[in-house]
Amino acid sequence: GKSYITDKRCSMTIDLLSLLFSLFTFSIANVASAMTMQQQSQSSLRLHVYDHCPFCIRVELALGLKQCPYERILYGYGDKLGDESKQGCYDGGNPILTGKKELPVLEKIGPDGNREWLKAESLDIIEWVQTERDQFPAKSGRNDLTAFFATDGRFKVIQRILSRPRNLKLTHLKDWAREEDRAYAKNKYEKGGWDYAAAEACDGESQLEMNKLLEEASTLLGSDTSLYEDGALGFDDLLYLPELRAVTVAKGVKWPDRLRNYVVSAHSQANVGTYFDQQVE
């Protein structure tokens, strides 16, 4: 009987030691996991953007489609971003990026919480994304796309007429939250000869023309989900989706189902919003 009790005690001691060892191992694993997660959260990307800017959106699409996590930091359009040459702008109190009033800017934050590097220019940032992940289907060089989205083409002309006055009414966005943000935009474009009053006066006929332009844009799709025939989102989509997104702010414009589904689906895949849910009359 005494030997049995001794054996039982030994067994209980071994079981207790095994339990303690398991708990210790589990704790170490948890600490290591927590440290890894902390390092990942600290070694992060910050993308500095305006919500309305097509160049910013093309970068967000690239990062989102390639599943590169990033922190999104929005700015008021009147923030001078450390650029003392800009008149009529304010100091938003943010750390200086490039010293120029230009976005997007991608910032890499190291494990110590300090900035490692900055990248400006949307195409340079997209090129970096492709080196970190894999390549997008290459730019096609299609003449029909280049002509349709040309800076002085009818689509861009009507897009500006419909979007610029409406953007100023999106005051819930950081871009336009301050009066100085809206004043900066008006002064900037009016100095270039653009007329807000004239744009609003021809809004109705501009909507009708945009309806026809969007029908044309729908024929440019290579498939239901892309400008490419194989349906994969590629470099052309990065360039031209943001231009179509700008039109989503205009309530009353009629979108062909195929085109609207393409725009919504592509942005959704990248976790980037459109203005379909916040349209302005």
Side-chain angles (χ1 to χ4, degrees):
K2 191 172 182 180
S3 175
Y4 170 75
I5 293 172
T6 303
D7 291 345
K8 190 172 182 181
R9 283 176 179 171
C10 287
S11 177
M12 289 175 66
T13 302
I14 292 169
D15 288 345
L16 181 59
L17 287 172
S18 297
L19 177 61
L20 289 172
F21 179 76
S22 297
L23 288 172
F24 176 75
T25 305
F26 180 73
S27 297
I28 291 294
N30 275 358
V31 169
S33 175
M35 288 175 66
T36 301
M37 290 177 66
Q38 186 179 25
Q39 287 169 352
Q40 287 175 347
S41 66
Q42 288 177 345
S43 302
S44 60
L45 296 174
R46 291 177 183 165
L47 185 63
H48 304 264
V49 295
Y50 303 120
D51 190 82
H52 74 283
C53 166
F55 300 102
C56 298
I57 296 302
R58 62 169 61 160
V59 169
E60 290 205 78
L61 289 171
L63 288 167
L65 291 171
K66 293 301 183 185
Q67 299 182 343
C68 296
Y70 63 94
E71 179 185 358
R72 187 180 200 243
I73 301 177
L74 283 171
Y75 290 79
Y77 198 45
D79 190 329
K80 64 184 176 181
L81 301 176
D83 190 341
E84 298 299 335
S85 70
K86 295 297 179 183
Q87 301 298 313
C89 293
Y90 58 86
D91 182 353
N94 300 296
I96 292 177
L97 298 171
T98 63
K100 297 180 181 179
K101 185 176 168 22
E102 58 180 18
L103 296 177
V105 171
L106 184 65
E107 179 182 20
K108 176 69 184 302
I109 303 298
D112 60 357
N114 294 320
R115 177 187 295 169
E116 288 188 0
W117 49 253
L118 294 173
K119 290 187 185 298
E121 301 296 336
S122 61
L123 296 181
D124 291 342
I125 297 173
I126 292 171
E127 183 57 37
W128 176 83
V129 173
Q130 293 189 109
T131 62
E132 290 294 301
R133 296 294 196 262
D134 56 343
Q135 298 282 311
F136 286 100
K139 185 178 179 181
S140 68
R142 284 170 51 186
N143 291 332
D144 55 352
L145 290 175
T146 305
F148 184 83
F149 290 102
T151 300
D152 56 353
R154 288 307 293 172
F155 173 80
K156 283 292 293 181
V157 169
I158 303 302
Q159 178 217 62
R160 296 184 194 109
I161 289 173
L162 294 176
S163 64
R164 282 181 179 174
R166 286 175 169 83
N167 284 343
L168 300 186
K169 298 175 182 178
L170 297 175
T171 54
H172 61 286
L173 295 178
K174 184 69 176 286
D175 301 39
W176 314 113
R178 292 173 60 153
E179 185 178 344
E180 298 99 315
D181 298 321
R182 304 186 291 276
Y184 173 77
K186 288 193 74 172
N187 291 336
K188 173 183 174 180
Y189 295 125
E190 286 175 347
K191 279 182 181 178
W194 206 80
D195 191 331
Y196 277 84
E200 293 188 275
C202 68
D203 186 79
E205 60 192 76
S206 296
Q207 286 191 42
L208 294 176
E209 184 171 355
M210 181 55 75
N211 292 344
K212 295 178 182 177
L213 288 164
L214 292 181
E215 290 284 355
E216 183 181 347
S218 187
T219 69
L220 299 175
L221 293 177
S223 60
D224 288 343
T225 56
S226 166
L227 291 169
Y228 297 81
E229 290 183 2
D230 65 0
L233 290 165
F235 214 94
D236 289 352
D237 300 288
L238 298 182
L239 295 179
Y240 301 126
L241 271 166
E243 301 296 345
L244 293 167
R245 176 185 184 267
V247 182
T248 67
V249 73
K251 193 169 186 178
V253 169
K254 296 179 181 177
W255 287 73
D257 288 342
R258 188 181 190 224
L259 186 66
R260 177 173 175 138
N261 291 340
Y262 157 67
V263 170
V264 170
S265 171
H267 283 84
S268 178
Q269 287 180 56
N271 199 29
V272 176
T274 68
Y275 296 130
F276 278 125
D277 60 346
Q278 46 194 313
Q279 291 182 323
V280 178
E281 292 277 4

